[in-house]
Amino acid sequence: MKYSLVAALLVQSTVVLAHLLPVHLKAPTAAHFLEIVRNDTYDLGCRAIAHPTEDGHFKLHALLTEEQIAHLENEYKAVPEISLHRADLTKRAATAPIGTGDRFKAGTVTPVGLGTQAAGSTISSLMNVAEITSAVQALAKNAGVTTITLPNRTFNGATQIAAYVGAGTDKSKYHLYLSAGVHARERGGPDQLIYWISDLLAAKKSGGGLTYGRKTYTNAQVNSVLNAGIVFFPLVNPDGVAYDQSSGSLWRKNRNTRSGSSGTSIGVDINRNFDFLWNFRKYFDASESPASTSPSSETFYGTAAASEPETKNHVSVYDSFPKIRWFMDIHSAAGDLLYSWGDDDDQSTSTAMNFLNAAYDGKRGVVNDQVYREYIPSADAANVKNVAGKTVAAMKAVGGRSYNAMQAVGLYPTSGATDDYAFSRFWAKSGVNKVYGFTMEFGYSTNFYPTLTEFNQNILDTNAGFMDWALAAISVGLE
Ligand SMILES: *[C@@H]1O[C@H](CO)[C@@H](O)[C@H](O)[C@H]1NC(C)=O
Ligand SMILES: *[C@@H]1O[C@H](CO)[C@@H](O)[C@H](O)[C@H]1NC(C)=O
Ligand SMILES: [Zn+2]
């Protein structure tokens, strides 16, 4: 068994993959996992999420070393309700290849998405880092997109670009913002975003609609989404993605070496580095680990709020496009669409109980208690639930699989994340627009490297999700 597992992993061509094994733990309650979730040495994927199972239990997915598996098996020998299960990788097809050339020919050949191609068409490989830029430049050269160079260079010196399309030259007419590629290993996010924009522009030009599996959209819907004004930042973490693509090491963070220069001590988790309750030791209950102060953790929060150039660049987009109302950050892998808040349970009755109120410092983040719950006005709670529900309904209607809409906190809190930062700006800064923030978690749990079939299904699922997310946002309101 062990031999065949290792052999299967070697066939997948990534040696380091064998080092981190996908597992899930199962227990009768989500609280059974608290010891694991609060231990920042475990890799719990994009965020720790306890998923209900059909038999009324909960599952927690993780990527563990053999040593960690042995440690937990030993630890839980006396706790029979908690069981650990290895994923059966022997049945998995090879992971989707990464493009080796530049299929967009230095920004001259426009990408073509799946929504404007015949049913059953497929994309043959993931984009490499240079192709992501080349694809966006081709959309700029041929399809009406405008690129902007963001102010900071990454640790390894990359220049970052975002782009906008649909609502002309007045940046205050742009209301939708999407980003991808924050977590390096979450393969396919940048591709899905770029192919969706390509589809919208191709359909607008031809006067046609879009088809994603069993879900279709009219040309009028395409035009309405474009008219909402779309800003997109398809590759937030180019240093991390370049490293992940060359190493196959399931790399998540950026590649900043200031806090650690070898192995897993390299890098900051960009999705714990935003200025929302960033200094979690001060703001959260001492028992909670919404991020980590340890450089070797996958959730290392950095050296200050927005210490990282990628974070600063992401934030600069709000300053350039002051009327953004809706934000989505594209991640994997869980099969969820997350809405605010991510630091604690929501409540709409006590305005004083909010993330800015120092009276609650040291009390946040314990889910299912009454000590602290994050304030969300009831109208906002209704809006984000409504839009999240329509988004997952569209993803399910594609015909591939089902997705769940859920509050971002789930059963465990997060600090410094892109989605909470987006929504918090309205209260934390004066004179800025209110932004509803979402995180899409496409794909199956801990399945960061999709097979080619899964990669193509993810494009269909997410692109339908983006369409209905945008359409629902438009019907709630863009101003
Ligand atoms: C965290 O987990 C590691 C095993 O990965 C274990 O050695 C360590 O004792 C745990 N830390 C705490 C505080 O429980
Ligand atoms: C990073 O960008 C900000 C604007 O967001 C700018 O004020 C700052 O000077 C830049 N820093 C560097 C090191 O380029
Ligand atoms: Zn992620």
Side-chain angles (χ1 to χ4, degrees), residues 401-429:
R401 59 165 296 188
S402 69
Y403 275 78
N404 298 312
M406 59 169 84
Q407 198 198 316
V409 75
L411 295 151
Y412 318 109
T414 306
S415 56
T418 56
D419 51 0
D420 281 331
Y421 171 74
F423 191 45
S424 72
R425 281 171 59 90
F426 177 71
W427 289 278
K429 284 170 81 96

Short mmCIF file of all heavy atoms in Angstrom, two decimals, residues 401-429:
data_model
loop_
_atom_site.label_atom_id
_atom_site.label_comp_id
_atom_site.label_asym_id
_atom_site.label_seq_id
_atom_site.Cartn_x
_atom_site.Cartn_y
_atom_site.Cartn_z
N ARG A 401 -20.82 19.83 -10.24
CA ARG A 401 -20.82 19.48 -8.82
C ARG A 401 -21.54 20.60 -8.06
O ARG A 401 -21.87 21.63 -8.65
CB ARG A 401 -19.39 19.38 -8.31
CG ARG A 401 -18.63 20.68 -8.49
CD ARG A 401 -17.36 20.74 -7.69
NE ARG A 401 -17.64 20.71 -6.28
CZ ARG A 401 -16.72 20.90 -5.34
NH1 ARG A 401 -15.48 21.12 -5.67
NH2 ARG A 401 -17.03 20.88 -4.07
N SER A 402 -21.72 20.39 -6.75
CA SER A 402 -22.38 21.45 -5.98
C SER A 402 -21.34 22.25 -5.20
O SER A 402 -20.24 21.77 -4.91
CB SER A 402 -23.41 20.85 -5.04
OG SER A 402 -22.76 20.14 -4.02
N TYR A 403 -21.69 23.48 -4.93
CA TYR A 403 -20.89 24.40 -4.13
C TYR A 403 -21.75 24.91 -2.97
O TYR A 403 -22.97 25.02 -3.11
CB TYR A 403 -20.43 25.59 -4.99
CG TYR A 403 -19.17 25.30 -5.77
CD1 TYR A 403 -19.20 24.56 -6.94
CD2 TYR A 403 -17.93 25.79 -5.35
CE1 TYR A 403 -18.04 24.29 -7.66
CE2 TYR A 403 -16.78 25.53 -6.05
CZ TYR A 403 -16.84 24.78 -7.21
OH TYR A 403 -15.69 24.51 -7.91
N ASN A 404 -21.09 25.26 -1.85
CA ASN A 404 -21.83 25.80 -0.71
C ASN A 404 -21.51 27.27 -0.50
O ASN A 404 -20.33 27.64 -0.55
CB ASN A 404 -21.44 25.08 0.58
CG ASN A 404 -21.76 23.60 0.51
OD1 ASN A 404 -22.85 23.23 0.13
ND2 ASN A 404 -20.79 22.78 0.85
N ALA A 405 -22.54 28.06 -0.20
CA ALA A 405 -22.31 29.43 0.25
C ALA A 405 -22.24 29.40 1.77
O ALA A 405 -23.10 28.79 2.42
CB ALA A 405 -23.46 30.32 -0.21
N MET A 406 -21.24 30.01 2.37
CA MET A 406 -21.17 30.02 3.83
C MET A 406 -20.43 31.26 4.33
O MET A 406 -19.68 31.88 3.59
CB MET A 406 -20.51 28.75 4.38
CG MET A 406 -19.10 28.49 3.91
SD MET A 406 -18.33 27.16 4.87
CE MET A 406 -18.92 25.73 4.02
N GLN A 407 -20.70 31.60 5.59
CA GLN A 407 -19.98 32.72 6.18
C GLN A 407 -18.50 32.36 6.29
O GLN A 407 -18.15 31.21 6.60
CB GLN A 407 -20.55 33.06 7.56
CG GLN A 407 -20.15 34.45 8.02
CD GLN A 407 -20.31 34.66 9.51
OE1 GLN A 407 -21.32 34.27 10.07
NE2 GLN A 407 -19.31 35.28 10.14
N ALA A 408 -17.63 33.34 6.01
CA ALA A 408 -16.20 33.05 5.92
C ALA A 408 -15.63 32.48 7.20
O ALA A 408 -14.71 31.67 7.17
CB ALA A 408 -15.44 34.31 5.52
N VAL A 409 -16.17 32.88 8.37
CA VAL A 409 -15.59 32.36 9.61
C VAL A 409 -15.81 30.86 9.72
O VAL A 409 -14.99 30.17 10.32
CB VAL A 409 -16.15 33.08 10.85
CG1 VAL A 409 -17.56 32.63 11.17
CG2 VAL A 409 -15.24 32.88 12.05
N GLY A 410 -16.86 30.35 9.07
CA GLY A 410 -17.10 28.92 9.19
C GLY A 410 -17.08 28.56 10.66
O GLY A 410 -17.87 29.06 11.45
N LEU A 411 -16.14 27.74 11.05
CA LEU A 411 -16.04 27.38 12.46
C LEU A 411 -14.72 27.84 13.06
O LEU A 411 -14.49 27.66 14.25
CB LEU A 411 -16.24 25.89 12.61
CG LEU A 411 -17.68 25.56 12.20
CD1 LEU A 411 -17.82 24.17 11.64
CD2 LEU A 411 -18.64 25.75 13.37
N TYR A 412 -13.86 28.45 12.22
CA TYR A 412 -12.56 28.92 12.70
C TYR A 412 -12.26 30.30 12.10
O TYR A 412 -12.50 30.52 10.92
CB TYR A 412 -11.46 27.93 12.30
CG TYR A 412 -11.86 26.49 12.47
CD1 TYR A 412 -12.11 25.69 11.37
CD2 TYR A 412 -12.04 25.95 13.75
CE1 TYR A 412 -12.51 24.37 11.53
CE2 TYR A 412 -12.44 24.64 13.91
CZ TYR A 412 -12.68 23.85 12.79
OH TYR A 412 -13.09 22.55 12.95
N PRO A 413 -11.71 31.22 12.91
CA PRO A 413 -11.53 32.59 12.43
C PRO A 413 -10.26 32.81 11.60
O PRO A 413 -9.35 31.98 11.63
CB PRO A 413 -11.42 33.38 13.73
CG PRO A 413 -10.80 32.41 14.70
CD PRO A 413 -11.34 31.06 14.32
N THR A 414 -10.25 33.93 10.88
CA THR A 414 -9.11 34.35 10.05
C THR A 414 -8.86 35.82 10.29
O THR A 414 -9.81 36.59 10.48
CB THR A 414 -9.47 34.14 8.56
OG1 THR A 414 -9.89 32.80 8.37
CG2 THR A 414 -8.30 34.42 7.65
N SER A 415 -7.61 36.25 10.25
CA SER A 415 -7.27 37.68 10.31
C SER A 415 -6.50 38.07 9.05
O SER A 415 -5.87 37.22 8.43
CB SER A 415 -6.42 37.98 11.54
OG SER A 415 -5.26 37.16 11.53
N GLY A 416 -6.58 39.36 8.71
CA GLY A 416 -5.73 39.88 7.64
C GLY A 416 -6.03 39.38 6.25
O GLY A 416 -5.16 39.43 5.38
N ALA A 417 -7.26 38.90 6.00
CA ALA A 417 -7.59 38.34 4.69
C ALA A 417 -8.15 39.41 3.75
O ALA A 417 -8.69 40.43 4.18
CB ALA A 417 -8.59 37.19 4.85
N THR A 418 -8.03 39.14 2.46
CA THR A 418 -8.45 40.10 1.42
C THR A 418 -9.93 40.47 1.52
O THR A 418 -10.30 41.62 1.35
CB THR A 418 -8.23 39.52 0.02
OG1 THR A 418 -8.94 38.27 -0.07
CG2 THR A 418 -6.77 39.28 -0.28
N ASP A 419 -10.77 39.46 1.78
CA ASP A 419 -12.22 39.70 1.74
C ASP A 419 -12.68 40.54 2.94
O ASP A 419 -13.45 41.50 2.78
CB ASP A 419 -13.01 38.37 1.65
CG ASP A 419 -12.60 37.33 2.68
OD1 ASP A 419 -11.70 37.60 3.51
OD2 ASP A 419 -13.20 36.24 2.67
N ASP A 420 -12.18 40.23 4.13
CA ASP A 420 -12.53 41.04 5.30
C ASP A 420 -11.96 42.45 5.19
O ASP A 420 -12.60 43.42 5.58
CB ASP A 420 -12.00 40.39 6.59
CG ASP A 420 -12.88 39.24 7.07
OD1 ASP A 420 -14.10 39.27 6.78
OD2 ASP A 420 -12.35 38.33 7.71
N TYR A 421 -10.73 42.55 4.69
CA TYR A 421 -10.14 43.88 4.50
C TYR A 421 -11.06 44.72 3.60
O TYR A 421 -11.37 45.88 3.91
CB TYR A 421 -8.73 43.79 3.90
CG TYR A 421 -8.25 45.17 3.51
CD1 TYR A 421 -7.86 46.07 4.50
CD2 TYR A 421 -8.29 45.59 2.19
CE1 TYR A 421 -7.49 47.37 4.16
CE2 TYR A 421 -7.92 46.88 1.85
CZ TYR A 421 -7.53 47.77 2.84
OH TYR A 421 -7.19 49.05 2.51
N ALA A 422 -11.51 44.12 2.50
CA ALA A 422 -12.37 44.86 1.56
C ALA A 422 -13.60 45.43 2.28
O ALA A 422 -13.91 46.62 2.16
CB ALA A 422 -12.81 43.93 0.42
N PHE A 423 -14.26 44.57 3.05
CA PHE A 423 -15.51 44.99 3.69
C PHE A 423 -15.25 45.95 4.85
O PHE A 423 -16.07 46.82 5.16
CB PHE A 423 -16.28 43.76 4.17
CG PHE A 423 -17.69 44.02 4.61
CD1 PHE A 423 -18.55 44.83 3.86
CD2 PHE A 423 -18.19 43.43 5.76
CE1 PHE A 423 -19.86 45.06 4.26
CE2 PHE A 423 -19.50 43.65 6.17
CZ PHE A 423 -20.34 44.47 5.43
N SER A 424 -14.07 45.83 5.49
CA SER A 424 -13.77 46.65 6.67
C SER A 424 -13.42 48.09 6.33
O SER A 424 -13.50 48.97 7.19
CB SER A 424 -12.62 46.03 7.47
OG SER A 424 -11.38 46.20 6.78
N ARG A 425 -12.97 48.32 5.11
CA ARG A 425 -12.49 49.66 4.74
C ARG A 425 -13.50 50.75 5.06
O ARG A 425 -13.15 51.84 5.51
CB ARG A 425 -12.17 49.70 3.23
CG ARG A 425 -10.87 49.08 2.85
CD ARG A 425 -10.76 48.98 1.33
NE ARG A 425 -10.85 50.27 0.67
CZ ARG A 425 -9.82 51.06 0.41
NH1 ARG A 425 -8.60 50.70 0.74
NH2 ARG A 425 -10.00 52.21 -0.23
N PHE A 426 -14.77 50.46 4.78
CA PHE A 426 -15.84 51.45 4.94
C PHE A 426 -15.89 51.99 6.37
O PHE A 426 -16.17 53.16 6.60
CB PHE A 426 -17.16 50.79 4.56
CG PHE A 426 -18.35 51.68 4.76
CD1 PHE A 426 -18.57 52.77 3.94
CD2 PHE A 426 -19.26 51.42 5.79
CE1 PHE A 426 -19.68 53.59 4.11
CE2 PHE A 426 -20.37 52.24 5.97
CZ PHE A 426 -20.58 53.33 5.14
N TRP A 427 -15.61 51.13 7.36
CA TRP A 427 -15.66 51.56 8.76
C TRP A 427 -14.29 52.05 9.25
O TRP A 427 -14.22 52.87 10.14
CB TRP A 427 -16.16 50.41 9.65
CG TRP A 427 -17.61 50.14 9.41
CD1 TRP A 427 -18.66 50.82 9.98
CD2 TRP A 427 -18.20 49.16 8.55
NE1 TRP A 427 -19.86 50.31 9.51
CE2 TRP A 427 -19.60 49.30 8.64
CE3 TRP A 427 -17.68 48.18 7.70
CZ2 TRP A 427 -20.49 48.49 7.91
CZ3 TRP A 427 -18.55 47.38 6.98
CH2 TRP A 427 -19.93 47.54 7.09
N ALA A 428 -13.23 51.52 8.65
CA ALA A 428 -11.88 51.84 9.15
C ALA A 428 -11.31 53.12 8.58
O ALA A 428 -10.45 53.75 9.19
CB ALA A 428 -10.94 50.67 8.85
N LYS A 429 -11.77 53.51 7.40
CA LYS A 429 -11.22 54.70 6.74
C LYS A 429 -12.36 55.65 6.43
O LYS A 429 -13.41 55.21 6.00
CB LYS A 429 -10.59 54.30 5.38
CG LYS A 429 -9.26 53.62 5.47
CD LYS A 429 -8.89 53.06 4.09
CE LYS A 429 -8.30 54.09 3.16
NZ LYS A 429 -6.83 54.11 3.16
#
